Amino acid sequence: MKKFKKIALIIGITFTILIITPFIVLSISPIQRAIGRYATEYLTEFVGAKFSVGRVGLHHLTRVDIDSLYVEDKQHAKMLYVGSVSAHFRLLPLLHKEISVKKVVINDFDANLYYLPDSTMNLQFLIDAFTPKEKKGIPQLDLPEIIISDADIDYCDWRNNTEFHIRDFETDVKLSLKNNNWLNLEIAKLQLSDEHSKRINNLRLKFSNDDKTINISDVIVDLPNTHIDMKKAVLTLALVNDSTIDWDKTAYDIDIEPSSVVLSDLDWVLPKLHSIDKPINFEIVAKGKVNNFTTKTLKLDYNNEIVLDASIRATNITDPASSYNVFNFNKFQFSAPSISRLIADFSDKNIKIPEVLNRLGNCIYQGHVSGNPFDFNLIGKIETA
């Protein structure tokens, strides 16, 4: 019995040493650099461009670290550089000889992306190199959580004269795709700035969709002068067939908490918005069927000059001629000059207001409008000051 225990102990110790030894060896710096040199030679030949790896290390059985990853494009220009990459693996699949990456952490990332004269991106050769030759579709894709920090991205497209330079890019994102028709995206963090000091302080959202439902939830957008808080926006399609939607049965559910937008924050996307620096405050709560549209809460405030607090009930909106709509105005505040300024802000046109309208001053309307765009009734009261 003692002999059996001794043999079992020796086998156990030997087995443990055999498991641990490779990880100890791979944690030694000269070994890590040697692996890096081998990876550099192999990948340079594989992709057909300079591909350099500083060192490769294995830690805690389930984490691989790669330092100083450098890639040139076919024009011998620096295309990608990553200071460090850490890939975290799930342990259970490894025991079944399967690789399942749980999280990838990327630090100190630089990218220089541009279009070549033949209208392909300088990155295309790298995508082609790692794309399977036999394309069988992607029945299921469950990407790991990707965390990027301290990233700079330069992009140039000569075809439409587009160029931007992203600085201080950070993100934390998860993405899943199943059966080519189910998508789940979760952004826990996204922030960046550009060379003109335009910033996204933070962006968070959850997005999912399948054959019938589009679901956006927990959206937070923070720009220098903008804050948007959307709890949910859900659209559930009622399909008659693959190409026809039944709008009478298609449902929506929208809940946007009190939010504020300054459109000049978005002028890096649309330069025409640069001069629109007045805040637009809004709140929307709406739920129902698309063709029988209902909003419980609709509040808009444009720079405290045009104020709307209303609810809407609309039927058969896909056929305006036969639709019937009711707009209940708890408050609609406006003035002729404010309407003129609003038009000027969005159209670059100065509208001359007749003097008789200017004399009305600030107007507040309470009441309701019912009917359709071609035949409607207006009932209520207007106060001027």
Side-chain angles (χ1 to χ4, degrees):
M1 187 67 179
K2 290 183 179 180
K3 186 176 181 179
F4 175 77
K5 289 182 178 180
K6 186 176 181 180
I7 293 173
L9 179 62
I10 293 173
I11 292 174
I13 293 173
T14 303
F15 183 71
T16 302
I17 292 173
L18 289 175
I19 292 176
I20 294 176
T21 299
F23 299 103
I24 295 176
V25 171
L26 290 174
S27 67
I28 300 173
S29 293
I31 300 296
Q32 293 177 350
R33 287 192 290 270
I35 296 174
R37 287 193 295 270
Y38 171 78
T40 295
E41 295 174 1
Y42 173 79
L43 291 171
T44 296
E45 182 178 354
F46 179 71
V47 304
K50 185 175 180 180
F51 204 117
S52 174
V53 178
R55 64 179 184 176
V56 179
L58 183 62
H59 301 275
H60 308 300
L61 306 182
T62 58
R63 194 185 91 206
V64 173
D65 293 339
I66 301 174
D67 292 341
S68 302
L69 179 65
Y70 175 87
V71 186
E72 289 185 354
D73 59 25
K74 292 287 189 176
Q75 287 65 45
H76 307 293
K78 173 185 172 181
M79 184 176 67
L80 297 173
Y81 172 79
V82 181
S84 65
V85 180
S86 294
H88 300 250
F89 300 90
R90 295 180 177 88
L91 181 59
L92 190 59
L94 285 175
L95 300 178
H96 296 85
K97 299 180 180 181
E98 298 176 356
I99 296 177
S100 177
V101 183
K102 179 172 65 175
K103 181 169 65 174
V104 176
V105 181
I106 300 173
N107 294 306
D108 189 15
F109 173 79
D110 291 334
N112 180 30
L113 307 177
Y114 58 90
Y115 274 88
L116 302 169
D118 63 358
S119 294
T120 61
M121 285 195 68
N122 63 331
L123 183 69
Q124 189 60 48
F125 79 96
L126 193 62
I127 297 173
D128 293 341
F130 289 96
T131 299
K133 301 303 180 183
E134 297 181 6
K135 296 183 180 180
K136 300 180 180 180
I138 307 177
Q140 179 168 326
L141 177 64
D142 192 6
L143 294 179
E145 178 182 6
I146 299 176
I147 300 174
I148 300 175
S149 62
D150 193 18
D152 294 342
I153 302 173
D154 295 322
Y155 173 85
C156 180
D157 186 352
W158 59 268
R159 301 172 305 170
N160 51 24
N161 197 29
T162 300
E163 182 177 352
F164 61 78
H165 308 277
I166 295 176
R167 299 291 178 260
D168 303 322
F169 176 75
E170 297 187 15
T171 191
D172 183 344
V173 60
K174 298 178 183 177
L175 176 66
S176 299
L177 175 66
K178 296 181 180 179
N179 301 320
N180 290 329
N181 58 11
W182 183 90
L183 173 68
N184 186 73
L185 171 66
E186 181 176 344
I187 299 177
K189 176 184 181 182
L190 189 152
Q191 64 183 51
L192 58 87
S193 64
D194 70 0
E195 75 275 24
H196 301 300
S197 300
K198 299 297 181 183
R199 292 192 60 84
I200 297 178
N201 294 328
N202 195 19
L203 168 66
R204 301 202 314 263
L205 67 83
K206 295 179 181 178
F207 173 89
S208 63
N209 82 295
D210 54 26
D211 288 336
K212 296 182 179 180
T213 304
I214 299 172
N215 189 330
I216 304 173
S217 62
D218 299 332
V219 178
I220 296 291
V221 180
D222 282 322
L223 307 177
N225 302 295
T226 293
H227 176 77
I228 300 175
D229 183 357
M230 183 171 71
K231 298 303 181 185
K232 60 183 174 181
V234 182
L235 181 66
T236 305
L237 300 176
L239 300 175
V240 178
N241 51 52
D242 291 340
S243 60
T244 305
I245 299 174
D246 185 346
W247 295 111
D248 288 331
K249 296 180 180 178
T250 294
Y252 66 91
D253 189 355
I254 301 171
D255 186 354
I256 302 177
E257 295 286 294
S259 301
S260 180
V261 173
V262 175
L263 294 178
S264 60
D265 280 342
L266 304 175
D267 63 358
W268 54 282
V269 179
L270 294 173
K272 290 183 178 180
L273 301 177
H274 177 72
S275 61
I276 307 176
D277 56 0
K278 301 180 181 68
I280 303 173
N281 302 311
F282 62 96
E283 178 183 359
I284 303 173
V285 178
K287 184 177 182 179
K289 309 296 183 183
V290 170
N291 209 24
N292 295 285
F293 187 80
T294 302
T295 64
K296 179 181 178 182
T297 302
L298 176 59
K299 295 181 179 180
L300 296 171
D301 184 337
Y302 184 66
N303 198 38
N304 204 31
E305 294 181 352
I306 301 176
V307 180
L308 173 67
D309 181 358
S311 61
I312 302 173
R313 187 177 76 254
T315 59
N316 203 26
I317 63 173
T318 55
D319 182 10
S322 62
S323 65
Y324 185 80
N325 313 308
V326 178
F327 296 82
N328 290 307
F329 293 93
N330 299 319
K331 180 180 182 181
F332 181 29
Q333 174 185 316
F334 63 95
S335 66
S338 67
I339 297 294
S340 177
R341 284 191 292 270
L342 176 65
I343 295 173
D345 284 343
F346 286 90
S347 67
D348 296 326
K349 294 181 180 179
N350 292 319
I351 305 299
K352 187 175 181 180
I353 303 297
E355 183 60 29
V356 65
L357 294 180
N358 282 323
R359 291 175 184 173
L360 290 176
N362 193 48
C363 301
I364 299 177
Y365 170 72
Q366 291 178 307
H368 71 269
V369 178
S370 60
N372 62 50
F374 310 103
D375 183 11
F376 60 88
N377 298 312
L378 187 150
I379 300 174
K381 65 178 181 179
I382 296 178
E383 297 178 359
T384 63

